[in-house]
Amino acid sequence: MNRTNRSSTTISVAIVDDHALFREGLREILEAVHDIAIVGEAGDSSAALELVAETRPDVVLLDVEIPGDEVTETVTRFRSISPETQIIILSMYDGPQLLTRLLAAGICGYLLKSVHRHELIAAVRSVYEDPARVVLAVSRHSLAHVEGPPVGVLSEKEQEVLQLAAQALSNGQIARCLGLAEATVKRHMRNIFVKLNAVSRIDAVNKALAASLIPPQSRKEVD
């Protein structure tokens, strides 16, 4: 997916929720925005998987309690079918354990359904513009009790990706070096951010160096 000319690009969004009235409300909100287009709706996990496979949307808004597969399984299958699709969970529930599991599964956003429309729109734009970003609109309690993977639990491939990121290589350059798809590199970077509780590439590299997760010589000196 080419996102180099973002200012003139329409963000494709799929809505997955078993309540038709809620889907209609989301559609009305998002269709009123000039840079967002709804490509389809689904009311259960099976239909959602078909929708994602067919449309490969930029962003999926996924209700946490849709009928069918458990939500983390649905997220995992989304990631397999369409790696570049960004997944934002919409939920009535604010629980740190579920949030932790979903972050580990690869979501890039978790919003309570009580958020205002401008927060929803901002979240969709944010994860589209920066696939490595994670957007959360939950209580302070959940943020304080999210049990992320312990620092140090980076896979071998994540370590390789981060070592190359430390040398100031772009996602595309890292992908070529490792023989991976760029979408796969982005997914590894997002997982690294979650595992290290990092807010940027530099932050992730610094935390990894401090924890001896990558060798010091990985770091490229930047003026």
Side-chain angles (χ1 to χ4, degrees), residues 123-187:
V124 169
R125 287 172 172 161
S126 179
V127 301
Y128 173 77
E129 294 288 340
D130 184 358
R133 182 173 298 169
V134 177
V135 178
L136 303 176
V138 296
S139 69
R140 291 182 181 274
H141 170 78
S142 283
L143 287 176
H145 291 83
V146 167
E147 299 174 2
V151 171
V153 185
L154 292 183
S155 70
E156 182 178 346
K157 190 61 66 177
E158 287 167 352
Q159 292 180 42
E160 292 177 357
V161 167
L162 193 55
Q163 286 185 50
L164 294 174
Q167 297 173 31
L169 271 65
S170 68
N171 286 339
Q173 291 171 322
I174 294 171
R176 288 191 291 274
C177 286
L178 298 179
L180 302 173
E182 187 170 350
T184 302
V185 173
K186 291 178 181 178
R187 185 170 69 251

Side-chain angles (χ1 to χ4, degrees), residues 3-10 34-35 128-129:
R3 294 178 176 171
T4 56
N5 189 15
R6 296 183 179 92
S7 62
S8 62
T9 299
T10 298
H34 70 89
D35 58 344
Y128 173 77
E129 294 288 340

Side-chain angles (χ1 to χ4, degrees), residues 87-135:
I87 304 166
I88 297 177
I89 295 292
L90 300 178
S91 176
M92 293 291 294
Y93 304 101
D94 184 13
Q97 292 183 345
L98 177 59
L99 175 57
T100 298
R101 288 193 291 114
L102 287 167
L103 286 170
I107 68 166
C108 61
Y110 191 105
L111 307 180
L112 296 179
K113 289 186 176 181
S114 57
V115 297
H116 296 289
R117 67 175 61 203
H118 69 270
E119 293 176 285
L120 172 65
I121 294 167
V124 169
R125 287 172 172 161
S126 179
V127 301
Y128 173 77
E129 294 288 340
D130 184 358
R133 182 173 298 169
V134 177
V135 178

Side-chain angles (χ1 to χ4, degrees), residues 75-97:
V75 168
T76 299
R77 295 181 70 182
F78 280 171
R79 301 297 307 149
S80 175
I81 291 170
S82 182
E84 292 217 11
T85 295
Q86 309 304 308
I87 304 166
I88 297 177
I89 295 292
L90 300 178
S91 176
M92 293 291 294
Y93 304 101
D94 184 13
Q97 292 183 345

